[in-house]
Amino acid sequence: MNIEYLNTLPEIKNKFNIELQDGEKVIFTANLSCFGTETDRFLGGSNSKITLTNKRLLADNTVGLWTVDIAEDIVSCEKVERKTFIFKSSYILITLNKEIMFNDEQEKLCGFHFYFNKKDSVKFETIMNHVLN
């Protein structure tokens, strides 16, 4: 994992007002169409946001904030495209190395599906490919 790559990226405006830790900077933000678990259980709709810092990935569904450490928690990132009849969709699959419990410890997830607009998807995927390859 090339976590140092994230430190070389320019800092951008913290437009979603994420509370940053010491030595942390925002390097990518985007509004999401929606996001869910690795099995596509719905977690957040069109008012959801994602922030990538040089240390963490944070997804905000306006009810809660999902936070994972990039170096410690993320195993892989890949773009997945699905086609059903005439409908085509794509999302970014983030796979985690451990389960996260949520909903009062009633449910668990091992990854996320992030649905971006095309421009943001390409930028996010490019950043994560540099980090994970």
Side-chain angles (χ1 to χ4, degrees), residues 2-127:
N2 184 8
I3 200 74
E4 281 303 312
Y5 170 74
L6 298 174
N7 293 322
T8 68
L9 297 174
E11 184 171 12
I12 64 168
K13 183 180 178 188
N14 185 1
K15 71 179 187 178
F16 302 134
N17 298 317
I18 298 298
E19 188 174 322
L20 299 174
Q21 300 171 346
D22 288 340
E24 192 172 29
K25 65 181 181 178
V26 174
I27 56 174
F28 174 83
T29 62
N31 292 305
L32 296 168
S33 308
C34 65
F35 77 103
T37 68
E38 79 283 0
T39 60
D40 245 357
R41 183 197 180 283
F42 184 78
L43 294 175
S46 61
N47 53 355
S48 298
K49 306 165 196 70
I50 189 168
T51 299
L52 184 66
T53 73
N54 58 327
K55 296 180 179 185
R56 300 179 296 159
L57 178 131
L58 304 99
D60 184 354
N61 64 4
T62 71
V63 176
L65 185 65
W66 302 84
T67 305
V68 294
D69 184 279
I70 296 169
E72 293 180 19
D73 300 328
I74 297 178
V75 174
S76 67
C77 174
E78 66 181 286
K79 183 177 184 177
V80 177
E81 295 183 330
R82 289 188 188 167
K83 191 170 183 179
T84 308
F85 301 109
I86 60 171
F87 302 105
K88 182 180 172 185
S89 68
S90 66
Y91 58 86
I92 301 292
L93 169 61
I94 298 288
T95 304
L96 305 174
N97 65 2
K98 61 184 176 187
E99 293 178 343
I100 296 176
M101 301 300 291
F102 66 101
N103 200 10
D104 293 329
E105 305 283 321
Q106 299 293 314
E107 299 182 67
K108 62 184 175 183
L109 62 83
C110 298
F112 297 98
H113 286 178
F114 292 117
Y115 293 84
F116 291 94
N117 70 43
K118 188 173 184 172
K119 175 186 67 131
D120 290 333
S121 179
V122 169
K123 187 170 184 177
F124 182 82
E125 186 179 16
T126 300
I127 291 170

